[in-house]
Amino acid sequence: MAGSSEMKGEESKLSFEEQASLDEIIMNAKKSFCAEDMVNHSVVAENKAEVATGHLIVLGGNLSNLTKGPLTVLDSKLWAGYIIKDYPNPLLVGTSILQMVQVGVSNDGLKAAVLYTGKNIACVDCGWLLAWADSQGKGKRVYAECGPISKFNCLNWERIEKKLDDPCCPAINPYKASDEQTGTSVIVGLSGVEWPLTYETRDLLAGIISG
């Protein structure tokens, strides 16, 4: 089942409506995203040398919950970077502005994932996983999975990290995963300014959770 959902995620293309919704979420995040106000200054202070050489990523994220009720964080993983504003928990129905903020420094950049759980329209317990990364060497990458909650028992984070590190990953952005059994889907996209000559780049993460 897991392999089937992953393949569908790689093959699924966004509809015009889905792309428009994703663009709107990113635009709303961009309007409210002020990195200077959100970055934890202690993080920057501890990494003055890296910041001075232009290795700072500031990411602002918005998630849209289109399911029938609130979702809760079941698990999360931070391989690289810092959490400045944590994931919304619970994630209420609808879309809020600038729900989370993360910072990455040095060549390690930023790499993180979150697993939400809740009920689909048929009141079946399901899971929605969103993962993303950005670094100077590998650029922006995203990955997603969804389906019955049993699929995420004993979640193998090493497998998810390998998906993000796959050389083909940057070509699939935004990424859509779907599961026919539960009628769930999840879309994740990462955009923003490419690595500039200045000390900072800003990323905008958008996610749409449905089912």
Side-chain angles (χ1 to χ4, degrees):
M1 182 186 303
S4 174
S5 292
E6 290 166 17
M7 183 61 68
K8 290 173 187 172
E10 293 173 358
E11 293 180 347
S12 295
K13 293 184 178 180
L14 271 64
S15 67
F16 176 81
E17 292 78 9
E18 289 171 335
Q19 185 63 60
S21 296
L22 199 69
D23 291 343
E24 182 178 2
I25 293 172
I26 291 175
M27 183 60 65
N28 288 336
K30 186 176 182 180
K31 291 178 181 178
S32 62
F33 190 23
C34 182
E36 291 82 2
D37 294 335
M38 300 303 300
V39 175
N40 186 326
H41 294 290
S42 65
V43 172
V44 177
E46 291 170 3
N47 297 275
K48 286 182 179 179
E50 293 165 326
V51 171
T53 58
H55 294 164
L56 177 65
I57 305 172
V58 183
L59 178 147
N62 276 9
L63 302 177
S64 179
N65 176 8
L66 302 183
T67 69
K68 63 175 294 182
L71 306 176
T72 57
V73 174
L74 182 62
D75 202 355
S76 63
K77 184 70 174 180
L78 184 68
W79 291 280
Y82 301 85
I83 300 292
I84 304 303
K85 186 176 181 181
D86 212 349
Y87 305 109
N89 191 22
L91 177 61
L92 303 178
V93 174
T95 305
S96 299
I97 300 300
L98 204 61
Q99 296 161 316
M100 59 186 184
V101 178
Q102 299 175 350
V103 172
V105 292
S106 80
N107 288 332
D108 290 336
L110 179 66
K111 186 188 297 183
V114 61
L115 173 62
Y116 276 97
T117 183
K119 295 185 182 297
N120 67 357
I121 194 170
C123 292
V124 174
D125 289 326
C126 297
W128 294 264
L129 182 142
L130 304 88
W132 55 90
D134 192 5
S135 65
Q136 188 174 22
K138 295 184 177 180
K140 297 175 176 60
R141 295 99 68 200
V142 291
Y143 179 71
E145 293 183 4
C146 61
I149 195 61
S150 59
K151 174 180 177 178
F152 300 98
N153 291 341
C154 302
L155 181 59
N156 186 341
W157 287 114
E158 183 178 353
R159 179 181 65 83
I160 302 301
E161 184 177 23
K162 286 181 179 179
K163 291 289 186 180
L164 282 174
D165 291 340
D166 188 319
C168 295
C169 194
I172 311 174
N173 182 12
Y175 188 107
K176 178 182 178 181
S178 58
D179 180 78
E180 291 183 1
Q181 177 185 347
T182 58
T184 55
S185 67
V186 57
I187 301 170
V188 58
L190 184 60
S191 65
V193 180
E194 297 299 331
W195 280 86
L197 297 177
T198 57
Y199 77 93
E200 177 187 298
T201 186
R202 301 184 184 185
D203 285 352
L204 297 170
L205 178 78
I208 301 176
I209 296 173
S210 304

